[in-house]
Amino acid sequence: MAITDWPEDERPRERLLAHGAASLSDAELLAIFLRVGCRGKSAVDLGRELISRFGGLNGLFAASQADFSAVPGMGPAKFSQLQAVLEMARRALGEEMRRGIGFSSPAAVRDYLRLHLAGLEHEVFFALWLDAQNRLIAAEELFRGTLTQTSVYPREVVKHALRHNAAAVVLAHNHPSGVAEPSRADELLTSELKQVLALVEVRVLDHFIVAAQSPPLSFAERGLL
């Protein structure tokens, strides 16, 4: 049955207008984005299929164009639209952080990092460089590795800190395994980076581990800084 044949108070778009976007399921939100389904499937059915196929929204957001377009009913146009929506969300959060708003809210930092890192199939090491008022100067990927590890060179991290004239930094890396738990190597690296950055008067405010299957883990909240 097409969504237009559903009772009006059950249609995703009407429910969003009446009760807000938070009242909708992931599949219903995707249905509004997709607008229409395909042969034999409503937009909600197609939304459920996408979530199941990619293991959730983070996996869908990180999907390549080829994998996304392999789903019947999807293609380059929908992929472009999805990437545009994601980039707008990243930029909106980035604007908050450049004004110093985001770093007063750990949830905003987590959202920003998840949009950038969750669902990636390779490990990356990421830095949010801040000024003395904790406003975002730059967000950049410093190192990229394999499925299970990446090499981080403290000397290069210091070079980037000096290049940006940063006063503080929030570090982050992802775990493609899906589990956001720090290893002993993660803890030692964080301690080393904190020490070498202190030599150039750059404070390490936090280090997050981002994974698709759990909320980003904060080293500061765990007492690991």
Side-chain angles (χ1 to χ4, degrees), residues 36-55:
V36 295
C38 59
R39 187 173 183 177
K41 296 178 183 177
S42 70
V44 173
D45 294 331
L46 194 51
R48 292 193 186 105
E49 181 179 338
L50 287 168
I51 290 169
S52 175
R53 185 177 186 123
F54 294 104

Side-chain angles (χ1 to χ4, degrees), residues 65-80:
Q65 180 180 343
D67 289 341
F68 183 85
S69 299
V71 179
M74 298 298 98
K78 288 295 183 189
F79 181 80
S80 297

Side-chain angles (χ1 to χ4, degrees), residues 35-158:
R35 296 179 56 200
V36 295
C38 59
R39 187 173 183 177
K41 296 178 183 177
S42 70
V44 173
D45 294 331
L46 194 51
R48 292 193 186 105
E49 181 179 338
L50 287 168
I51 290 169
S52 175
R53 185 177 186 123
F54 294 104
L57 290 176
N58 283 317
L60 172 62
F61 295 161
S64 67
Q65 180 180 343
D67 289 341
F68 183 85
S69 299
V71 179
M74 298 298 98
K78 288 295 183 189
F79 181 80
S80 297
Q81 290 172 3
L82 180 61
Q83 295 308 307
V85 169
L86 292 173
E87 186 59 27
M88 285 190 289
R90 293 186 189 107
R91 293 185 186 189
L93 287 171
E95 286 177 4
E96 288 190 359
M97 293 181 181
R98 278 187 286 275
R99 295 197 302 269
I101 297 171
F103 292 98
S104 64
S105 169
V109 180
R110 284 184 165 91
D111 288 342
Y112 185 81
L113 292 171
R114 289 190 75 162
L115 280 172
H116 278 274
L117 304 180
L120 293 179
E121 295 181 354
H122 52 272
E123 190 168 306
V124 301
F125 194 83
F126 203 76
L128 302 175
W129 300 110
L130 314 177
D131 66 13
Q133 285 74 47
N134 285 351
R135 293 175 302 203
L136 183 66
I137 299 170
E140 64 178 347
E141 180 184 308
L142 298 179
F143 307 101
R144 178 176 295 208
T146 64
L147 177 65
T148 57
Q149 65 180 5
T150 188
S151 298
V152 177
Y153 303 99
R155 182 176 178 178
E156 294 300 315
V157 176
V158 170

